[in-house]
Amino acid sequence: MVFEGAVFSAASFDKADFSPKVLTCIDQSGMIDRVISVDEPDFKSVKQTAANHNILHPIPNGSYLLPGFTDLHVHAPQWPQAGLALDRPLNEWLQTYTFPLEAKYENLDFARKTYKSLVHELLANGTTSVLYFGSTHVDANLILAKICAESGQRAFIGKVAMDNPDQTPDFYRDSSSKEALEQTEVFIQQLQQLQKKTSSELVPVITPRFVPSCTDETLQGLGKLARKYNLPIQSHCSESIWEDHYAIDRFHQRDAEVLDKFGLLTNKSVMAHGTQLQNSDLDLFKQRNTAIAHCPISNVYFGDSVLSTKHAHNKGVEVGMGTDLSGGYSPSIYRNMQQAIMSSQMLQDSGVKNSRISAVNAFYLATVGGANALSIPTGKIRAGYKADLQIVNDQYSNIMSNNANDIFERLIYHTTKNQINEVYVSGKQVINQGDNNGK
């Protein structure tokens, strides 16, 4: 396929490139082969050849080709409660609402119905790669994986491990550390088999829910499994004042130090939230090459603070964007970019200097930052990157400025899924607004 039209793509943390008219050429493996500007000598011949083979895809005037987004933190089973009980304290929200909901995924029909809705909703919002927390149930997590494969979404999925009876309810936890570790390994092996069978982009992830939910034996065993299978790791780290203090009270160490002690901070680790991270923690993240999933909406409700994304970036820590469904109520990375910008301004207004981020910075987190955190070659519209793409309509192009910078900021602030006309993952169309069920 060859797209003809205007492109926005992150060049760096502080710069987004705009190309008003290029050919974006996708090869049969779903990679971007070339991006040809209008002044290159073979622009016309490549365009004509694509038209002759019926693979030229003109992008309409007023619409733009953008990279697909990477969401670094989604609690898949929590989708049915998105936006509910967010006025409650985190621990009460978990025990009263979240754990009872997640326990329902023992019912595989319920899992199938929910996950079909969730995966389609994320794709329709331009999210092409997702790092998912599943539930404790192996079979339900495999249903999520199958739906991602069928829908064409790139998915990193973890069976949640949680066995600490002091912090998890008796109706929803692994019955022992032995069960938590054995079931995690079963899930890893079955997901790898599914990946081979479907040739889809599925990766199992080691997933301790967070330090309070797990016994020492489970944390230790999960670190060993991550090394055995060379897998990504996801969890929460210094998500709130309560979690931060819990680690100190139990281990006499900071949350990041505890995770590191058990081998859970690696160059394949993504830790969510981090609103309470101190400089020593960020230095440890940098040393281990561990990334942060910035979840700006949910941090407003449960984080007790604002993560200084610019400070973390300047310290050399990779940061990407996460929705944190359902602690964050919106499945839209656009909505989370907007909140990230607003929250950073509030942080600066509170006296934290040089903490404000721009639309360009937020766009980098949503594309390149997330892709780098998962070590996947996507997030840019450039040769050698996966063709994860979205075609977005500028709904106000007829009445507002058409300066490139103005268009870009307008897309960041005003795009909803209604303006996302098409979505592609590795060159395959997965959403077409003309087909309400996707493709």
Side-chain angles (χ1 to χ4, degrees):
M1 184 176 292
V2 176
F3 295 93
E4 179 190 17
V7 168
F8 283 106
S9 183
S12 67
F13 184 71
D14 293 307
K15 186 177 186 295
D17 284 338
F18 173 65
S19 304
K21 189 173 183 180
V22 296
L23 298 176
T24 303
C25 306
I26 315 303
D27 68 21
Q28 291 188 347
S29 69
M31 303 294 289
I32 300 172
D33 181 54
R34 292 183 66 190
V35 180
I36 307 172
S37 63
V38 70
D39 56 358
E40 290 187 51
D42 60 347
F43 180 93
K44 290 183 179 179
S45 63
V46 171
K47 176 181 175 180
Q48 187 60 54
T49 300
N52 292 344
H53 287 85
N54 199 32
I55 58 170
L56 183 66
H57 191 323
I59 298 169
N61 289 334
S63 292
Y64 300 88
L65 191 68
L66 276 64
F69 294 142
T70 294
D71 190 332
L72 288 180
H73 194 53
V74 173
H75 288 271
Q78 295 178 21
W79 175 228
Q81 70 173 24
L84 302 183
L86 293 175
D87 58 332
R88 304 302 176 93
L90 175 60
N91 203 37
E92 180 184 341
W93 180 80
L94 287 170
Q95 299 289 343
T96 306
Y97 299 92
T98 305
F99 292 156
L101 173 60
E102 292 193 16
K104 292 182 179 180
Y105 286 80
E106 188 174 9
N107 182 327
L108 300 186
D109 290 334
F110 178 72
R112 190 172 292 106
K113 180 180 179 180
T114 301
Y115 289 153
K116 281 185 177 180
S117 169
L118 172 63
V119 172
H120 177 73
E121 189 70 20
L122 290 168
L123 286 169
N125 277 281
T127 301
T128 49
S129 301
V130 183
L131 180 54
Y132 285 110
F133 270 63
S135 65
T136 61
H137 313 98
V138 169
D139 289 342
N141 296 329
L142 290 170
I143 285 174
L144 172 60
K146 290 173 185 175
I147 291 168
C148 291
E150 292 164 1
S151 303
Q153 187 178 70
R154 183 178 302 106
F156 297 72
I157 302 172
K159 176 234 174 286
V160 168
M162 44 188 287
D163 70 317
N164 181 4
D166 293 337
Q167 294 294 329
T168 55
D170 56 4
F171 62 84
Y172 184 59
R173 65 168 174 252
D174 296 302
S175 62
S176 65
S177 179
K178 183 174 184 288
E179 181 189 62
L181 298 174
E182 286 180 350
Q183 289 297 295
T184 295
E185 191 159 21
V186 166
F187 173 71
I188 291 167
Q189 293 170 352
Q190 292 192 11
L191 184 59
Q192 288 177 335
Q193 290 169 10
L194 178 64
Q195 188 278 323
K196 291 177 182 177
K197 181 179 178 181
T198 60
S199 298
S200 52
E201 297 185 73
L202 301 171
V203 179
V205 184
I206 299 298
T207 308
R209 188 176 199 107
F210 63 166
V211 166
S213 294
C214 297
T215 61
D216 294 21
E217 185 181 354
T218 293
L219 293 171
Q220 188 80 46
L222 291 173
K224 290 179 179 177
L225 283 175
R227 290 189 295 276
K228 177 179 177 179
Y229 289 94
N230 190 28
L231 291 179
I233 301 165
Q234 62 179 340
S235 192
H236 305 78
C237 185
S238 295
E239 174 181 3
S240 63
I241 291 173
W242 174 81
E243 182 188 339
D244 212 40
H245 287 177
Y246 177 91
I248 293 169
D249 291 342
R250 176 172 156 191
F251 292 97
H252 308 293
Q253 289 181 302
R254 294 192 50 73
D255 210 10
E257 294 173 316
V258 174
L259 291 163
D260 188 55
K261 177 176 76 170
F262 291 113
L264 295 168
L265 291 190
T266 73
N267 62 359
K268 291 178 174 286
S269 296
V270 178
M271 295 293 143
H273 304 291
T275 58
Q276 308 300 315
L277 292 174
Q278 298 180 357
N279 280 329
S280 61
D281 304 320
L282 292 173
D283 290 340
L284 181 57
F285 273 44
K286 168 62 176 173
Q287 184 180 352
R288 299 290 185 256
N289 202 20
T290 292
I292 298 173
H294 179 36
C295 306
I297 291 180
S298 70
N299 287 349
V300 170
Y301 295 104
F302 298 132
D304 301 318
S305 185
V306 175
L307 173 69
S308 181
T309 53
K310 183 173 282 188
H311 180 61
H313 173 80
N314 290 341
K315 292 274 287 182
V317 177
E318 196 67 66
V319 183
M321 196 73 72
T323 57
D324 190 26
L325 289 169
S326 67
Y329 60 82
S330 175
S332 168
I333 288 288
Y334 284 99
R335 182 65 191 87
N336 279 272
M337 285 192 286
Q338 296 155 19
Q339 185 62 54
I341 299 164
M342 290 188 286
S343 293
S344 75
Q345 178 61 59
M346 296 175 68
L347 188 62
Q348 179 144 316
D349 290 344
S350 72
V352 181
K353 295 181 180 179
N354 194 33
S355 56
R356 183 176 185 175
I357 66 170
S358 66
V360 169
N361 300 150
F363 182 60
Y364 175 91
L365 301 181
T367 55
V368 178
N372 287 349
L374 295 176
S375 301
I376 44 178
T378 186
K380 288 187 178 183
I381 300 179
R382 181 181 293 179
Y385 284 72
K386 290 179 180 289
D388 298 342
L389 307 166
Q390 51 181 316
I391 298 177
V392 182
N393 176 54
D394 175 10
Q395 59 185 314
Y396 300 120
S397 61
N398 292 332
I399 59 170
M400 295 184 182
S401 163
N402 280 297
N403 171 277
N405 290 333
D406 296 344
I407 294 168
F408 175 77
E409 292 196 335
R410 195 157 63 237
L411 292 177
I412 300 303
Y413 279 104
H414 291 290
T415 296
T416 70
K417 71 175 182 179
N418 293 330
Q419 285 75 52
I420 302 172
N421 295 328
E422 300 174 46
V423 179
Y424 295 80
V425 181
S426 290
K428 296 179 181 178
Q429 189 178 67
V430 295
I431 291 292
N432 185 336
Q433 282 280 32
D435 174 7
N436 290 330
N437 295 315
K439 281 195 173 181

